[in-house]
Amino acid sequence: MYRMINVQPDDQKLQRIIWRESPTDELREFQLTTVTYGTASAPYLATRCLQQLAEEGEVSHPTAAKILKKDFYVDDMITGAQNEEEGKLLINEIIELMSSAGMTLRKWNSSHEKILEGLPDHLRDVRDVRELDSSRSTIKTLGMVWNPQTDSFCFSVPKWNTSSTITKRIVASDASLLFDPLGLMSPVVVQAKIFMQTLWKNGYTWDEPLPEELQEYWREYRRNLLAIESLSVPRWVGYLKDCVEVQLHGFCDASELAYGAALYLRCMHRDRSVTVHLVTSKSRVAPLEDISKKNRRQSIPRLELTSALLLSHLLEAFRASVDIPMKVFLWTDSMIVRCWLASIPSRWQTFVANRVSEIQHLTRDCQWCHIAGTENPADIVSRGMNPAQLYYQTLWWNGPYWLQMYHGTWEDGAQVDEDQFDAEVLEVRNVAALPVAAA
């Protein structure tokens, strides 16, 4: 991709190199004329050229221009279509627009082979055609493993460090291999985050052997991860343009160790069937207490509020990446958080007020509701779960059972009643009243 983008002639002199074929040859000076791999500016220049191409092609290739702006990550494109006809038109349009800039998209693949019928073989990724073993015909897409034949995301176990002694450095190295950008495996990944935080809390150095019980815990964690290879998550989350109703349901929860948030897309189709699918989630470990910095360990209500803020940020990122008209419902099992969000921020103390203000701004067009803790899928994130258990956890993959009912009764939600909590628990701001002297 970089080699197809010329650098301004005035700047090419900044890309000079000295070269010779062998030590006996004279040194020769070259000047690179295209964007050079390895320079700090290269990804920006390439991406900016795509953005410029999209602006110039908005009239002639409107669909392709939209894809260029939203569905590219440097030189990788991930996009979709509602049907085969739309998919073929999309491919032709994007190829025409990219070819006008001298860029040829290769390794095309799709969950529907007919969409790619007009493409020559040298532009296609034909692994799924040549390999009879479907388990090997997967494609890595921005770190995600996608199987076009089943149109599902798969997971593979990383190659662990083979050292017989487990140290904090090895744990950190292993944890960094757990790449889950969509958060489909957040309950599993959060266990590694909690364990890593425990090592920091106990003050272990990078290369000292951990106590045997901690080493065994990490070995057991790695063994349990073998179960993720049996997991397969459908890529399609049920949305069609002709859906009767589309809703987004977000859930948040916190425990003493971690907090998390998850989003589910609920689609009602023309035949009145309802589908609910997990689309993304996030997890964070609870902050540690640091007496030297006067950071006390956060209370559960504060952590619940922090999880609501995490959900608000997750919602903002999701809505920025999709163009789907939908009604949004956000759920928490903390009535204290409901009380905080139902009032003006200035009523509460600084920690609460700042977060309430931001949440109210990010979710101003959403409805906050209360849910029982046993029905909250975000509870699984905040506490963690082994892969083998997660496989059968329909609450995690499809949300609460009542979301799949034809008629929903959740819009009213539980009423907020501040009287059931003390002012100290709600962290009400103290207001001083001064008498006014008569003139």
Side-chain angles (χ1 to χ4, degrees), residues 149-169:
Q149 293 182 344
T150 60
D151 196 17
S152 60
F153 292 122
C154 309
F155 305 90
S156 58
V157 178
K159 293 182 179 179
W160 306 116
N161 190 302
T162 57
S163 174
S164 59
T165 303
I166 305 296
T167 64
K168 188 170 78 170
R169 188 183 302 277

Side-chain angles (χ1 to χ4, degrees), residues 40-201:
S41 61
Y44 166 77
L45 293 173
T47 303
R48 182 63 184 86
C49 284
L50 290 184
Q51 297 295 316
Q52 183 63 32
L53 181 60
E55 293 178 10
E56 295 177 1
E58 280 183 337
V59 176
S60 59
H61 301 81
T63 303
K66 186 177 180 180
I67 292 173
L68 271 179
K69 288 182 177 180
K70 297 191 66 175
D71 296 342
F72 265 82
Y73 183 80
V74 191
D75 61 341
D76 286 328
M77 181 189 78
I78 303 178
T79 190
Q82 292 285 313
N83 50 60
E84 291 183 10
E85 182 180 356
E86 184 179 322
K88 290 180 179 180
L89 292 174
L90 182 153
I91 289 175
N92 292 334
E93 192 170 312
I94 194 70
I95 287 179
E96 287 181 6
L97 183 58
M98 295 296 289
S99 298
S100 68
M103 298 184 184
T104 303
L105 289 178
R106 303 179 185 276
K107 298 183 180 180
W108 283 87
N109 213 318
S110 172
S111 57
H112 289 71
E113 289 188 17
K114 291 184 179 180
I115 292 180
L116 306 177
E117 284 180 345
L119 282 175
D121 288 343
H122 71 279
L123 296 182
R124 298 177 59 176
D125 189 329
V126 294
R127 282 177 294 179
D128 58 329
V129 176
R130 294 178 179 174
E131 296 183 2
L132 298 178
D133 182 5
S134 62
S135 63
R136 296 173 55 204
S137 60
T138 57
I139 297 171
K140 274 204 169 183
T141 308
L142 297 183
M144 296 292 295
V145 181
W146 174 53
N147 189 330
Q149 293 182 344
T150 60
D151 196 17
S152 60
F153 292 122
C154 309
F155 305 90
S156 58
V157 178
K159 293 182 179 179
W160 306 116
N161 190 302
T162 57
S163 174
S164 59
T165 303
I166 305 296
T167 64
K168 188 170 78 170
R169 188 183 302 277
I170 289 177
V171 172
S173 175
D174 288 348
S176 67
L177 300 176
L178 302 174
F179 186 65
D180 181 30
L182 290 180
L184 301 176
M185 300 293 294
S186 283
V188 176
V189 176
V190 76
Q191 290 181 318
K193 294 180 180 179
I194 293 172
F195 183 69
M196 191 67 196
Q197 188 187 62
T198 302
L199 302 185
W200 279 101
K201 181 181 178 180

Side-chain angles (χ1 to χ4, degrees), residues 386-398:
N386 292 331
Q389 296 172 312
L390 194 65
Y391 182 87
Y392 300 100
Q393 192 58 253
T394 57
L395 176 62
W396 174 246
W397 302 114
N398 304 110

Side-chain angles (χ1 to χ4, degrees), residues 364-415:
R364 56 192 176 275
D365 58 343
C366 308
Q367 181 171 334
W368 280 93
C369 308
H370 182 264
I371 186 174
T374 55
E375 298 178 345
N376 189 354
D379 178 76
I380 301 174
V381 184
S382 66
R383 301 181 188 279
M385 184 172 285
N386 292 331
Q389 296 172 312
L390 194 65
Y391 182 87
Y392 300 100
Q393 192 58 253
T394 57
L395 176 62
W396 174 246
W397 302 114
N398 304 110
Y401 69 93
W402 37 261
L403 279 184
Q404 301 189 36
M405 294 181 179
Y406 173 62
H407 289 293
T409 59
W410 50 79
E411 296 197 26
D412 295 330
Q415 296 299 315

Side-chain angles (χ1 to χ4, degrees), residues 137-357:
S137 60
T138 57
I139 297 171
K140 274 204 169 183
T141 308
L142 297 183
M144 296 292 295
V145 181
W146 174 53
N147 189 330
Q149 293 182 344
T150 60
D151 196 17
S152 60
F153 292 122
C154 309
F155 305 90
S156 58
V157 178
K159 293 182 179 179
W160 306 116
N161 190 302
T162 57
S163 174
S164 59
T165 303
I166 305 296
T167 64
K168 188 170 78 170
R169 188 183 302 277
I170 289 177
V171 172
S173 175
D174 288 348
S176 67
L177 300 176
L178 302 174
F179 186 65
D180 181 30
L182 290 180
L184 301 176
M185 300 293 294
S186 283
V188 176
V189 176
V190 76
Q191 290 181 318
K193 294 180 180 179
I194 293 172
F195 183 69
M196 191 67 196
Q197 188 187 62
T198 302
L199 302 185
W200 279 101
K201 181 181 178 180
N202 294 336
Y204 297 111
T205 59
W206 282 108
D207 296 310
E208 69 171 298
L210 299 178
E212 186 57 37
E213 62 272 16
L214 295 182
Q215 292 195 47
E216 183 55 33
Y217 173 90
W218 192 246
R219 294 190 190 100
E220 181 66 19
Y221 177 82
R222 298 196 299 196
R223 286 193 291 268
N224 287 336
L225 278 178
L226 293 172
I228 68 173
E229 293 189 335
S230 62
L231 287 172
S232 178
V233 182
R235 178 201 57 81
W236 184 57
V237 292
Y239 172 72
L240 293 171
K241 288 183 178 179
D242 61 353
C243 283
V244 176
E245 184 182 34
V246 180
Q247 296 176 352
L248 186 69
H249 291 261
F251 300 84
C252 60
D253 188 53
S255 68
E256 292 183 350
L257 299 177
Y259 58 94
L263 291 176
Y264 294 80
L265 196 67
R266 180 183 187 272
C267 300
M268 182 183 293
H269 303 275
R270 285 188 172 184
D271 61 357
R272 300 302 177 184
S273 63
V274 176
T275 59
V276 183
H277 291 278
L278 171 70
V279 290
T280 186
S281 76
K282 283 284 185 183
S283 65
R284 297 283 187 272
V285 290
L288 291 174
E289 183 178 24
D290 190 344
I291 299 177
S292 63
K293 295 182 180 180
K294 298 181 179 180
N295 292 336
R296 8 169 242 178
R297 192 163 187 85
Q298 300 295 345
S299 64
I300 291 297
R302 282 190 171 194
L303 288 173
E304 294 275 11
L305 181 63
T306 307
S307 73
L309 180 60
L310 178 65
L311 174 58
S312 302
H313 289 157
L314 186 62
L315 171 66
E316 180 186 29
F318 177 77
R319 291 205 286 192
S321 64
V322 299
D323 185 18
I324 302 176
M326 54 193 169
K327 194 170 184 178
V328 181
F329 297 89
L330 305 176
W331 301 82
T332 175
D333 55 20
S334 171
M335 285 304 299
I336 296 178
V337 172
R338 288 283 320 275
C339 291
W340 283 335
L341 296 178
S343 186
I344 57 175
S346 59
R347 290 191 58 201
W348 319 120
Q349 293 181 19
T350 305
F351 180 95
V352 175
N354 290 343
R355 286 155 181 77
V356 168
S357 177

